[in-house]
Amino acid sequence: MKTLLKSLLVGITFVVAVSLGGMMTSLLGFTLPEAKDLVASLMWFFAGGVIAGLSLAPVAASMPASRTRHLIVWGTLIFFNIASVAIEGYFFAPKLIGDALPALLVQQLIVALAAGWVVAALFASKESTASISPITRPFLSWMWCFAAGVLVYVVIYFIFGAINYMLVTKPYYETHAGGLDVPPVQVTLAAEVVRGALIALSVLPFLHTFRADKKRTALQTGFLLFAIGGLVPLTMQVGALPLFLLIASAWEIFAMNFSAGIILARLLGRPVEA
């Protein structure tokens, strides 16, 4: 019950932060996409924040680290995952995003920082005075592992994306439901390479901080990418995209993000048990 109540506070943080972010972007001269129903949109943002809180609570509680470290880990995880979805949406739903991508990124950065701070304050274990040993590898090894992680995500995306397109989403894209569009293959490839890189970056601080055996780390990384990079953004799209499409896309995102998380943990995680 205590975890649920704290997660409700994370949901409130999402709503407050997205509202403040909207005001700040307006002051900076940016324009955000217009919501069809502002109250409903904020309610779904609240729901997404609650999901984030419930997902991150047990992980944060089991990860001894400083509050600053927690803020970096969770803020990075939230921002890069939601940013990757927004960038992908720029190509696949141009009528929804339009020219608002910079404003969305600024807004979501504010949300991520606020939510990361609240998660650290509410769920993090007591501050650890023990230093966290860095993962040491040659620079070229890091580059190869990172590039391999991005490539694996792109391959996984095309496999599961093609299956879901043929079985479920094809009619929605062909009729441009909810402003959806099918960009050329080369554009899709570029968008997914960028998204894969952002997803890989999103888990780097976590993999440098979380201490567990390889199997647990891999499963935990996959779960976090599905929850924060899948369920939370899907929740925020309720009302903007057809509900059946969102539900049908959940399995695709689970297959992609969970698999990518396991592989990224193997490639970029600690080579031995910490």
Side-chain angles (χ1 to χ4, degrees):
M1 177 60 83
K2 185 181 293 186
T3 298
L4 176 59
L5 292 175
K6 290 181 178 180
S7 296
L8 294 176
L9 291 177
V10 178
I12 293 173
T13 301
F14 264 63
V15 173
V16 173
V18 79
S19 301
L20 290 176
M23 289 188 287
M24 291 182 64
T25 53
S26 295
L27 291 175
L28 293 173
F30 293 117
T31 302
L32 287 167
E34 291 187 11
K36 295 180 180 179
D37 187 335
L38 181 58
V39 174
S41 295
L42 291 177
M43 287 179 61
W44 286 114
F45 264 95
F46 171 76
V50 174
I51 292 172
L54 291 172
S55 302
L56 298 180
V59 191
S62 65
M63 191 177 75
S66 68
R67 292 291 188 269
T68 301
R69 187 88 175 197
H70 274 277
L71 170 60
I72 294 172
V73 169
W74 308 128
T76 300
L77 181 71
I78 294 170
F79 174 69
F80 279 116
N81 273 284
I82 297 181
S84 73
V85 174
I87 291 172
E88 185 183 58
Y90 176 79
F91 296 100
F92 286 86
K95 292 183 180 178
L96 287 177
I97 305 298
D99 297 326
L101 182 60
L104 284 173
L105 294 179
V106 172
Q107 184 187 48
Q108 295 307 321
L109 176 61
I110 295 170
V111 172
L113 291 174
W117 182 83
V118 170
V119 168
L122 294 178
F123 300 119
S125 58
K126 293 183 179 179
E127 296 231 1
S128 174
T129 56
S131 60
I132 299 175
S133 58
I135 302 176
T136 55
R137 283 181 182 152
F139 178 76
L140 285 179
S141 175
W142 275 118
M143 292 297 98
W144 278 113
C145 288
F146 187 86
V150 174
L151 176 61
V152 166
Y153 172 80
V154 173
V155 172
I156 291 173
Y157 168 82
F158 275 100
I159 292 173
F160 289 106
I163 294 173
N164 203 40
Y165 181 79
M166 296 304 299
L167 295 178
V168 181
T169 61
K170 184 177 180 180
Y172 291 94
Y173 281 98
E174 288 182 339
T175 58
H176 304 286
L180 294 174
D181 196 10
V182 181
V185 175
Q186 63 270 25
V187 175
T188 300
L189 177 61
E192 296 310 321
V193 167
V194 172
R195 188 178 184 191
L198 293 177
I199 288 174
L201 287 172
S202 77
V203 296
L204 271 180
F206 171 73
L207 293 173
H208 277 251
T209 308
F210 190 68
R211 292 169 177 259
D213 60 82
K214 289 183 178 181
K215 181 178 180 180
R216 184 186 171 195
T217 300
L219 292 174
Q220 195 68 75
T221 306
F223 168 75
L224 289 177
L225 284 182
F226 170 59
I228 306 302
L231 291 180
V232 173
L234 276 179
T235 303
M236 295 175 180
Q237 293 302 315
V238 175
L241 294 174
L243 182 59
F244 179 76
L245 178 62
L246 295 174
I247 296 173
S249 296
W251 82 266
E252 175 192 354
I253 295 173
F254 172 77
M256 292 190 304
N257 287 21
F258 191 79
S259 301
I262 290 176
I263 295 170
L264 286 170
R266 294 288 185 175
L267 289 171
L268 300 173
R270 294 181 178 276
V272 295
E273 182 177 347

